[in-house]
Amino acid sequence: MNNKGWPTALRHLTLSLLLAWFLGWLCGLPLLAICLTLAGFLAWHGWQLHRMQTWLLNQNIVEPPEGRGIWGSVFDDIYHLQRHQQRTQKRLKGVIQRIEDGTAALKDGVLMLNNQGNLEWWNHAASQLLGLKESQDIGQPITNLVRAPEFKAYFDASEYVTPLEMPSPANAEVQLQFQITLFSQQDRLIVCRDVSHIKQLEAMRQDFVANASHELSTPLTVISGYLETFLDHQDTLPQRWRKALKQMHQQSQRMESLIEDLLMLSRLETSQLKDHGPVHVPALLNELQLDAITLSGEKRQHIEVDAQWVDMTGIGGELSSAFGNLIFNAVKYTQAQGSIQIRWWQDDAGLHLSVTDNGLGIDSPHLPRLTERFYRADASRHAQTGGTGLGLAIVKHVLLRHDGHLQIESWLGKGSCFTCHFPLSRLAINLKRRA
Ligand code: ADP
């Protein structure tokens, strides 16, 4: 707004009133002359206001009306403000259009939800992946449109650390991965992507490993069978062959355990957890203790079991394999005369199994990667023990299938403690104890 407008208008009004008063005084009617001047002044401003209103209300008139004095600068100022606003609006529309074009070109579905969980906006890919229709689904709660119980549980949990994978509600053959992000005030941004291809490749990889391991196991059994037979009659063999045959036998046994572990891992990855019943863990640990003593052999380690009379639900074979791997590792990586303690107990936090040894221990940088397949903390150590490098990967998978997790604590040169934690929901009613 032009600030000079008002003083000029006031000056004009004062001059007009003085002139009117002078002329009125000459005619002997100064008051009437002033009133008539004021009325004319008001009428002129009223007319200008009317012109402004007509201009502002009529969208078709772009240019402002011609105005003089204060009204000329008011019209100009409003016109410039309007033009500035129009330019800003156009720029913002352009930005929104570009964002819309960009998200429409995305292969991943993007959805925006308000803090009530109602749909506010989504892109083209989301419509296709989830079968949404703009006309009827806008403003609807997402949990009414994606009705799977696992989605509702994931959505309500409000903790979105890991993504959720499930079949698409629009096409059960399409496997989707959902990742939710909270923003602003509990509003949610959902990104869903089609992971069917990755799943297929993963399944192919799993099938390949399972088939290759299966196919290798038969010829290997034959080879190690013959090697055993030869070794049984080693007295009849030339001396230079005996050492070679022993080594061949050792290596074939290693390959057999490797194949066994690979098959076990692929079973854990592919099969559903169905027949889980009560597992009497103390008895299972006593059996494993006997096996561990046999494995310890001349090392004569002190292996102790302290188990509460508590059962858990699960698959006995899988749990035995996981606990066995931890116990046998303790035997393998603990020096002669060392001590190994196996504890099984229940508390308010859940069910726990720990295997503690005072053996070689592991340097802390290795700890986060120990459950990766074929990861070894120390290659030379592994060469002596002849492990497969798959033991802890099996433990991790078994625990995952039993809602549990593995905690690893270790101190180089002092020993290690591997603890399996299970939730209380895994507690099984022990009928013998009740009786
Ligand atoms: P491996 O067949 O080589 O034992 P695992 O997956 O069972 O494979 O273990 C991975 C690595 O973790 C081992 O190579 C070893 O270096 C380390 N490790 C596992 N358990 C222990 C333990 N109780 N004490 C020291 N090191 C261990």
Side-chain angles (χ1 to χ4, degrees):
M1 168 91 54
N2 190 345
N3 287 333
K4 287 178 187 162
W6 268 112
T8 315
L10 280 174
R11 210 171 45 242
H12 284 167
L13 178 62
T14 319
L15 281 175
S16 309
L17 287 174
L18 279 174
L19 190 65
W21 174 79
F22 179 66
L23 290 175
W25 177 71
L26 285 180
C27 306
L29 291 166
L31 213 62
L32 181 68
I34 285 175
C35 284
L36 282 174
T37 309
L38 278 175
F41 197 76
L42 279 175
W44 184 74
H45 279 292
W47 166 240
Q48 297 301 334
L49 267 175
H50 172 71
R51 289 175 74 208
M52 186 171 81
Q53 193 189 26
T54 317
W55 169 54
L56 290 178
L57 290 179
N58 195 335
Q59 302 283 325
N60 296 330
I61 308 172
V62 181
E63 293 294 322
E66 277 298 321
R68 293 184 57 208
I70 189 171
W71 286 102
S73 59
V74 167
F75 291 151
D76 277 356
D77 288 344
I78 294 178
Y79 178 65
H80 284 123
L81 269 176
Q82 267 188 342
R83 290 297 301 267
H84 178 70
Q85 211 181 8
Q86 277 164 1
R87 275 199 298 272
T88 314
Q89 237 176 19
K90 203 169 158 194
R91 194 167 48 80
L92 288 177
K93 268 188 191 165
V95 172
I96 292 173
Q97 189 60 44
R98 274 187 71 74
I99 293 174
E100 279 194 350
D101 290 350
T103 49
L106 272 180
K107 287 202 173 110
D108 295 345
V110 184
L111 302 97
M112 271 168 89
L113 283 78
N114 63 14
N115 56 8
Q116 307 291 314
N118 299 337
L119 272 174
E120 280 186 337
W121 174 89
W122 62 90
N123 69 348
H124 180 66
S127 306
Q128 290 198 320
L129 293 172
L130 302 175
L132 301 176
K133 290 189 184 65
E134 186 155 9
S135 52
Q136 61 194 58
D137 294 334
I138 194 112
Q140 294 285 325
I142 183 79
T143 41
N144 281 5
L145 302 166
V146 184
R147 301 190 77 96
E150 63 261 45
F151 181 81
K152 183 156 174 24
Y154 179 64
F155 188 82
D156 291 341
S158 302
E159 270 206 15
Y160 308 118
V161 184
T162 45
L164 168 78
E165 279 179 20
M166 54 169 258
S168 156
N171 179 358
E173 281 176 17
V174 174
Q175 191 71 15
L176 293 182
Q177 186 186 65
F178 289 90
Q179 178 73 64
I180 302 183
T181 310
L182 286 171
F183 70 100
S184 192
Q185 293 175 332
Q186 296 293 305
D187 294 349
R188 289 174 177 88
L189 183 81
I190 303 184
V191 177
C192 62
R193 68 170 56 110
D194 182 351
V195 288
S196 318
H197 187 56
I198 300 171
K199 284 268 142 193
Q200 241 170 359
L201 286 177
E202 218 171 274
M204 271 168 65
R205 178 189 63 82
Q206 284 167 357
D207 284 353
F208 172 76
V209 173
N211 290 337
S213 313
H214 191 73
E215 292 299 325
L216 281 172
S217 100
T218 319
L220 201 62
T221 316
V222 175
I223 292 171
S224 63
Y226 276 121
L227 285 171
E228 254 168 52
T229 318
F230 283 138
L231 283 172
D232 284 347
H233 302 94
Q234 52 180 299
D235 302 342
T236 59
L237 294 171
Q239 182 66 31
R240 61 198 166 97
W241 280 38
R242 291 185 198 166
K243 195 176 166 213
L245 277 172
K246 266 189 194 153
Q247 276 182 354
M248 283 160 77
H249 186 238
Q250 263 173 8
Q251 293 304 321
S252 69
Q253 275 182 328
R254 261 197 70 197
M255 278 173 76
E256 271 179 334
S257 4
L258 193 67
I259 284 171
E260 224 172 82
D261 283 357
L262 280 171
L263 283 171
M264 172 86 185
L265 261 177
S266 81
R267 263 197 307 275
L268 291 172
E269 279 178 337
T270 47
S271 71
Q272 300 288 322
L273 186 66
K274 280 183 211 143
D275 326 311
H276 55 140
V279 179
H280 186 48
V281 179
L284 191 146
L285 293 179
N286 286 335
E287 277 170 29
L288 290 171
Q289 183 190 25
L290 293 179
D291 292 346
I293 291 169
T294 312
L295 181 68
S296 176
E298 288 177 4
K299 281 168 105 183
R300 295 184 178 279
Q301 290 144 326
H302 183 67
I303 303 169
E304 207 177 74
V305 177
D306 172 13
Q308 275 183 10
W309 202 254
V310 175
D311 292 1
M312 71 172 279
T313 50
I315 298 182
E318 289 186 9
L319 289 172
S320 164
S321 167
F323 299 164
N325 270 319
L326 295 179
I327 296 168
F328 302 147
N329 271 352
V331 172
K332 280 193 291 182
Y333 301 112
T334 299
Q335 64 285 4
Q337 313 294 334
S339 83
I340 296 161
Q341 281 164 348
I342 305 158
R343 277 186 68 213
W344 168 244
W345 76 102
Q346 177 210 333
D347 60 20
D348 292 345
L351 306 164
H352 317 273
L353 175 113
S354 71
V355 181
T356 314
D357 63 62
N358 63 351
L360 305 175
I362 309 155
D363 212 357
S364 52
H366 298 293
L367 297 182
R369 299 193 57 193
L370 277 188
T371 53
E372 285 175 23
R373 280 160 209 218
F374 299 113
Y375 187 85
R376 278 143 191 156
D378 184 340
S380 57
R381 180 195 294 183
H382 153 262
Q384 292 158 18
T385 60
T388 62
L390 294 171
L392 292 180
I394 291 177
V395 175
K396 182 178 139 186
H397 268 82
V398 170
L399 296 196
L400 271 179
R401 282 160 66 86
H402 289 79
D403 313 318
H405 67 273
L406 180 67
Q407 182 189 356
I408 308 175
E409 294 160 290
S410 193
W411 304 269
L412 195 61
K414 292 186 178 156
S416 317
C417 176
F418 289 74
T419 314
C420 309
H421 299 284
F422 301 97
L424 274 178
S425 54
R426 284 273 159 193
L427 180 69
I429 306 297
N430 190 319
L431 294 173
K432 283 187 204 149
R433 187 172 53 168
R434 275 188 147 189

